[in-house]
Amino acid sequence: MQVIDLLHTATRELAEAGVDGGDLDGQLLLGACLNKSRTELFLAADMEVPEEARRVFLRYLERRKRREPIAYILGEREFWSLPFIVNPSVLIPRPETEFLVEQVLAACRPRRGLHDGWILDLCCGSGAIAVVLALELQRDIVAVDISCDALAVAQQNCRRHKVDDRVALVKADLLTAFAAERRFSLLVSNPPYVSRRQLRQGLDPEVAGYEPLLALDGGEDGLDIIARIKEMLPVIMRPGGEVFIEIGAEQGPALLRMFAPSAGAAELVKTVEILKDYAGRDRVLHLLLSGYGR
């Protein structure tokens, strides 16, 4: 069969399976089988596809028809223009998290004070945030996750991008592994923040059927993990440190209340703001911590 025949097959069968964007999916899957870009595929439309590549493509196509994400099928996802290994042990990196990283980098570069303490990537998953921060800031990073399987993926990505000497991977339930020494000046996190209501109502099949629940479930209102992080901040964060946490698009008002002086955060937080993404949705909780009364 020719390239064009297989692409038409993918578009038709994915549409019949209820998968949106089947033409693009087919191009990505066949391109991976032939080691060709989408442009190269179009230029090679009349090329006969080798039998082994055809068989692999058809296996990939069957998996995609069952709504398995392409990133898991191919074992890779681009983030920050870099390739990252992914599997069902970790969330697939998303553009929303690139926005989180952008905000962190914008804050770090002009502020000398953040160079005085350690940097923490909490709930690190695939290690994408830790790797990018290590590369962009040329700093050592401590990356924490509760899942051994996720940390194994993060380790592969650190080695792939040659930052394994600068990223220390720690298995822990949030901040429980750290002594009360206030060593961190910057905390970055993409924690579980999907509410139980959203989980009950149903997520997209690609998410609900394949991505790890442990990395999604944020409790009844989606804020349980962030509330736990709040309690630990004065224990491990340096006075005047900064916190950047990815959040859900409707969680901004609740988080402003959580970190308001009336909620007991007067001595903890100097300023709190919700940063909106490029679509105008709440996306990042940013905290500037106080001097803790000193």
Side-chain angles (χ1 to χ4, degrees):
M1 296 183 71
Q2 295 180 330
V3 166
I4 191 65
D5 298 324
L6 290 177
L7 291 177
H8 286 161
T9 296
T11 299
R12 183 186 70 255
E13 293 190 7
L14 289 172
E16 292 171 353
V19 179
D20 294 330
D23 52 348
L24 174 58
D25 290 355
Q27 294 160 23
L28 293 173
L29 294 174
L30 186 56
C33 294
L34 297 174
N35 194 29
K36 291 183 179 295
S37 68
R38 293 173 62 198
T39 300
E40 289 170 333
L41 279 183
F42 293 135
L43 294 175
D46 295 332
M47 185 188 84
E48 288 291 331
V49 176
E51 183 59 24
E52 178 57 26
R54 186 187 71 84
R55 286 197 295 264
V56 172
F57 172 74
L58 293 177
R59 288 199 296 270
Y60 285 173
L61 182 58
E62 287 302 313
R63 292 170 66 180
R64 184 67 188 111
K65 285 161 61 178
R66 295 193 293 269
R67 308 302 290 267
E68 183 174 355
I70 286 182
Y72 289 156
I73 295 173
L74 301 182
E76 186 173 285
R77 178 63 173 259
E78 183 179 287
F79 181 85
W80 208 256
S81 299
L82 298 170
F84 283 88
I85 296 165
V86 294
N87 64 34
S89 299
V90 298
L91 289 181
I92 298 168
R94 290 166 164 80
E96 292 87 348
T97 306
E98 290 193 340
F99 177 80
L100 168 69
V101 172
E102 288 177 6
Q103 304 313 302
V104 173
L105 294 178
C108 284
R109 286 177 173 138
R111 296 178 185 168
R112 298 179 61 87
L114 290 179
H115 291 277
D116 296 335
W118 295 2
I119 297 176
L120 175 63
D121 174 13
L122 196 59
C123 308
C124 69
S126 66
I129 293 175
V131 167
V132 171
L133 293 182
L135 290 171
E136 294 285 347
L137 298 177
Q138 295 296 300
R139 296 276 305 279
D140 291 342
I141 312 292
V142 178
V144 176
D145 205 283
I146 195 172
S147 166
C148 289
D149 292 336
L151 289 171
V153 176
Q155 184 177 52
Q156 293 179 70
N157 283 317
C158 288
R159 288 173 177 168
R160 182 175 193 174
H161 295 291
K162 298 180 173 57
V163 295
D164 48 311
D165 60 335
R166 278 184 276 154
V167 178
L169 299 172
V170 177
K171 181 185 183 302
D173 181 7
L174 298 179
L175 301 167
T176 57
F178 302 106
E181 297 180 356
R182 295 181 176 175
R183 293 182 174 181
F184 296 100
S185 61
L186 175 63
L187 184 153
V188 184
S189 182
N190 178 16
Y193 60 75
V194 178
S195 70
R196 296 272 168 80
R197 173 180 55 81
Q198 291 173 297
L199 292 173
R200 288 192 296 267
Q201 290 175 344
L203 303 173
D204 290 342
E206 286 83 353
V207 177
Y210 294 93
E211 298 204 64
L213 181 63
L214 182 65
L216 294 167
D217 186 356
E220 194 59 36
D221 60 0
L223 302 178
D224 285 7
I225 304 301
I226 298 177
R228 289 184 59 201
I229 293 173
K230 173 190 173 184
E231 297 304 316
M232 299 178 185
L233 289 179
V235 177
I236 59 97
M237 292 293 294
R238 293 170 64 114
E242 295 197 47
V243 176
F244 292 83
I245 300 176
E246 183 175 325
I247 64 173
E250 299 176 354
Q251 294 176 335
L255 287 166
L256 289 175
R257 291 192 296 271
M258 180 186 294
F259 287 92
S262 59
E267 295 185 0
L268 172 64
V269 178
K270 183 177 181 181
T271 61
V272 53
E273 62 178 337
I274 303 298
L275 305 177
K276 294 184 181 294
D277 63 21
Y278 298 120
R281 297 168 299 195
D282 294 349
R283 187 54 60 196
V284 173
L285 169 68
H286 173 221
L287 307 174
L288 176 61
L289 303 181
S290 70
Y292 302 149
R294 296 182 180 179

